[in-house]
Each structure stands twice: as structure tokens, then as C-alpha cells.
Amino acid sequence: MAVGIRMILLIAVIGIIVSALQVFIWRLSKEKAFFKYIPTIVFLIVTVVCLIKAIWFSTGMEDLAYFITALLAFGVLVISLITGIIIDLVARANKQNYL
């Protein structure tokens, strides 16, 4: 299996798990808007920290590992952000149907 396909598959699997976690958090938080974006914020922080570590504070091949970790975290960040937006759109549509 090609490396790119494995990386995309890994991002998709982690993204599905994070999306399920987001829906669970949203349901527990009484459908408040902010709490479902907590995984997105966490992955944004992880991405930024890994990029900073890869660019300025790594030696040897360590920077490549941090860059790949940043790519994985960014992919999951995008999936998490899309999931949060979809949850907002579905909640808004459901709210309009009840009125």
C-alpha cells in the first residue's frame, strides 16, 4: 500500500473517531455551540506546536517526524472543523423545523 494512501486512511480513521467524540460532546453539552469545537481547538494547538518544534527546535530527522505529525493533526483538524459546521447546520435546520 502506498504511503500517501496509508496517511489518508490514518487521517480518515482518526477523523471519524474525533467526529464521533464531537457529536457526543455536543449531545452532552445540551447542544451549546462552543463545546463541540474543543477538539478542533486542541488539534489546532497540536498542529502549531508541532510546526514550531519542527522548524526551530529540532535536530537531525526529528523535524521530519514533527512535520508529519503536524500534517496528520492538520488533516484531523479540517475534518473536525467540517463536522462542527455540519452539526451547526443540522441543529439550525432542526430548530427551524420546530418553529
Side-chain angles (χ1 to χ4, degrees):
M1 189 181 289
V3 175
I5 294 172
R6 275 190 252 162
M7 190 156 176
I8 291 171
L9 186 62
L10 185 62
I11 290 171
V13 168
I14 296 171
I16 290 170
I17 293 169
V18 170
S19 295
L21 177 68
Q22 265 184 294
V23 171
F24 183 70
I25 290 171
W26 176 66
R27 293 286 183 186
L28 283 181
S29 66
K30 306 288 189 244
E31 302 177 355
K32 291 196 170 50
F34 173 74
F35 292 110
K36 70 178 163 285
Y37 289 109
I38 290 175
T40 306
I41 294 168
V42 169
F43 277 103
L44 177 65
I45 292 169
V46 168
T47 302
V48 170
V49 167
C50 284
L51 281 176
I52 290 172
K53 177 84 170 123
I55 293 172
W56 286 294
F57 300 108
S58 295
T59 58
M61 296 298 283
E62 188 180 55
D63 57 347
L64 182 62
Y66 280 112
F67 185 70
I68 291 172
T69 304
L71 282 176
L72 289 171
F74 181 74
V76 177
L77 166 90
V78 169
I79 291 172
S80 176
L81 185 62
I82 291 170
T83 302
I85 292 170
I86 289 172
I87 289 172
D88 279 340
L89 293 175
V90 168
R92 183 176 295 145
N94 285 341
K95 187 182 284 187
Q96 289 177 353
N97 287 340
Y98 288 129
L99 297 178

